[in-house]
Structures are given as C-alpha cells and as structure tokens.
Amino acid sequence: MSQSFDIAVIGATGTVGETIVQILEERDFPVGALHLLASAESAGSSVPYRGKNVRVREVDAFDFNNAKIAFFAAGAAVTRSYAERATAAGCAVIDLSAGLPVEQAPNVIPEVNGASLSALAAPAQVACPSSSAAALALVLAPLRSLMNIERVTVTACLAVSSMGREGVTELARQTAELLNVRPLEPRVFDRQMAFNVLAQVGKPDDEGHVPLEKRLVSELRELLSLPLIKIGVSCIQVPVFFGDSLSVSVQTSEAVEVAAVSRALESAEGIELVDAGDYPTPVGDAVGQDAVYVGRLRLGVDDSCELNFWVTLDNVRKGAALNAVQVAELLIKDVV
C-alpha cells in the first residue's frame, strides 16, 4: 500500500502499548508519523521502532488532528478522557480498555466479525475485547454451525500481566523476596501472589462477580451474536507473567462429534489445535506467538452433549495488541 497513515499510541510505555508498536513494525503497517503518548509521569522515555528510539510525549498536549488512527491502551479513564477529542479531530479510535459503551464502540475480532467494520462510518470507534473473550470467541465461532451451544462454563487463569507492568514487577519482586527469605509485603495484589493462586481478580460487586467476569460475559455474547447464551465464568489470578489459560466446558442440545470439532478448529484462522494426548502451555507454546492454542479436546465423562477443552494464548500479544493492529489493517481498507 502506497498510502501511509499517521498513528498515535496512547499508553505507549505499557506492556500492551509497547507490543502494539512492535507489531506495527513486524507487520509492516503503513505508518507515516508515529506519535507515542503517555501520562506526564511516563513522558520523556522512549520506545524502539524501526531502528530508532521514538520519544514518548504527554497525551494531554497532543493534537489529534495529527493522527488518523489512535490506539488507546492506557486504561478506561484515559480512553473516556480523550476518545471524543480524537473522534472530533477525525481520528479513528481503537480502544483496548473497555472504556467506551458498546453502542458507541462495538467489539471486533477480525477472524470472527471483522466484516462488521464496513458498516461503521468514519471516523470509527472500535473496541477490542478482553483476552479471555477474544480466545473464547475465536474457538467457539467455528463451532456454531456444528452445534447448538446452550451454555459455556469457563475458568480463566489470568497472568499477572493482565494488571499491566505493575503486575509483572510485583510478581518478580515477591518471588525474589520469598526466595531470599525476606518479609513479604503485597503492594499491587491484596495478598501474596508468588507461588499462590488468587480466587478473584479485582473487587467483586454485591453478587460476588468481578468486573472482568461480567465483561467477558457481555463481550462473548456480542462477538458470537448469541445474546441469550448462558455463560458461567470465574477469573482467577495465577503466578504466571504472560499467557492466559482457560478451562472451558460447552453444553449443547445434542451429542457432540469430537472429530468434526477437531476438523473445524484445524481449519479455523488464528487457532492451533494440539494433537490428542498432548496439551499446550503458556510458556511452552503461546507466549510470543500469534495463535490461540487449543488442547485436551474431549467429551464429558458421562455426557456426550458436553465438550471440554483447554485454551492458552499470549494475553498481551494475541489477546490484545495483535487484535488491535489487525482491526487497524481492516479500517484502512474500508473505513479510514
């Protein structure tokens, strides 16, 4: 493509923001000017891009007339503060923070519902779903023609990078303190994270559900166009730096043919099906890769209408940054 597009990345010093910059370079996205933006505290640092170090500037002083597409990867509050300013300047918004209402910014996964982008008017506002919702939608979308899905039950084991760079730093610090037999003082998490598993991620509401669980339910229903599907979800925090993993159970109205499911997943874009008898892990398979890995595909112990499987993916790369760049690639073809 001969045309180039000026790009802004808000939250450029975070794990997702830095990965967006990396993927823009890897996929040879037609970037004109690259504007890296962050809070006042992070302004002045730099991020490598195409052999140079690009200086990060303060987002509050940025004129969005200077960008055609803006990636928002700095948290919901930042998105709500600046997204409308970007849109008013004619800049398309790709939000990774769930900071905008779905009626305003629909969730899009190119492999699942990318065609929906063509219905948006410029400058578009588009949302990228959570890593867990993205993984589940990618796996379940090719199965919709094979079965009537009545219920999905998922336990999402989330890496500490779901909390951003602070979560990664905290796990590293706690691990070092415990290995050196020093007193442990939790900071980011409400208790010990190293060598431990936390039963919830975030603060629960009065009914016991945390925001990420409710977000996953609404996003999955939207992405699959199944507004009435029953979804049970538990998000837990595990002592893994990068890579989310999900244990999934799907209840259907009729018997499932595992061989047909395997064929559908093997031919689906963005999915790697691991051979029977083996299983994928975040560290051994998913981290740094551009696919969602699926393994342990099996029926229920005594229920042929139950399909169980294991999913893992790089939550920062495949679950966030890559999806956002793929959305941008579609936008420059049809919308921008």
Side-chain angles (χ1 to χ4, degrees), residues 19 44 88 105 110 166 169 211 213 221 230 238 259 270 275 287 292 304 316:
T19 307
E166 284 187 345
T169 302
E213 293 166 347
R221 285 173 173 166
K230 301 291 185 181
V238 296
D275 293 338
V287 173
V292 171
S304 61
V316 172

Side-chain angles (χ1 to χ4, degrees), residues 245-259:
S245 299
L246 300 87
S247 177
V248 186
S249 178
V250 178
Q251 194 69 40
T252 70
S253 60
E254 52 194 16
V256 177
E257 184 185 346
V258 174

Side-chain angles (χ1 to χ4, degrees), residues 41-290:
E41 291 78 10
S42 298
S45 58
S46 62
V47 174
Y49 178 71
R50 291 183 176 173
K52 299 180 180 179
N53 288 323
V54 180
R55 186 178 178 85
V56 177
R57 292 177 290 158
E58 190 174 347
V59 62
D60 193 52
F62 182 67
D63 181 357
F64 282 94
N65 286 291
N66 293 321
K68 198 65 176 177
I69 300 175
F71 295 93
F72 280 81
V78 174
T79 299
R80 287 191 287 266
S81 295
Y82 297 100
E84 290 306 317
R85 184 195 298 184
T87 302
C91 178
V93 168
I94 300 176
D95 177 35
L96 296 96
S97 71
L100 302 175
V102 67
E103 300 80 12
Q104 182 175 328
N107 282 286
V108 173
I109 298 176
E111 300 96 328
V112 176
N113 64 339
S116 64
L117 286 174
S118 61
L120 300 180
Q125 290 188 337
V126 184
C128 292
S130 61
S131 170
S132 297
L136 278 171
L138 273 168
V139 177
L140 294 177
L143 305 184
R144 288 175 295 182
S145 62
L146 300 177
M147 61 187 70
N148 177 31
I149 301 174
E150 295 183 335
R151 182 178 181 84
V152 178
T153 304
V154 55
T155 299
C157 308
L158 305 184
V160 296
S161 50
S162 64
M163 304 287 287
R165 196 177 301 281
E166 284 187 345
V168 174
T169 302
E170 173 75 349
L171 176 58
R173 183 187 63 81
Q174 286 193 14
T175 301
E177 288 183 353
L178 290 171
L179 290 176
N180 287 281
V181 199
R182 293 197 294 261
L184 177 67
E185 179 187 352
R187 297 173 187 171
V188 175
F189 304 97
D190 66 353
R191 61 197 74 188
Q192 178 180 325
M193 183 71 258
F195 308 103
N196 201 9
V197 174
L198 308 186
Q200 65 187 40
V201 182
K203 185 178 180 180
D205 60 18
D206 292 340
E207 296 179 340
H209 305 297
V210 302
L212 269 176
E213 293 166 347
K214 299 174 75 172
R215 177 183 175 186
L216 190 156
V217 170
S218 63
E219 289 176 342
L220 189 59
R221 285 173 173 166
E222 177 194 358
L223 291 164
L224 295 178
S225 299
L226 295 173
L228 300 180
I229 189 175
K230 301 291 185 181
I231 304 172
V233 56
S234 296
C235 289
I236 65 175
Q237 199 87 66
V238 296
V240 174
F241 288 107
F242 295 94
D244 290 347
S245 299
L246 300 87
S247 177
V248 186
S249 178
V250 178
Q251 194 69 40
T252 70
S253 60
E254 52 194 16
V256 177
E257 184 185 346
V258 174
V261 171
S262 295
R263 289 193 295 270
L265 294 178
E266 285 174 342
S267 61
E269 186 179 357
I271 293 176
E272 289 287 340
L273 180 63
V274 176
D275 293 338
D278 197 3
Y279 61 90
T281 67
V283 174
D285 300 281
V287 173
Q289 303 302 312
D290 292 344

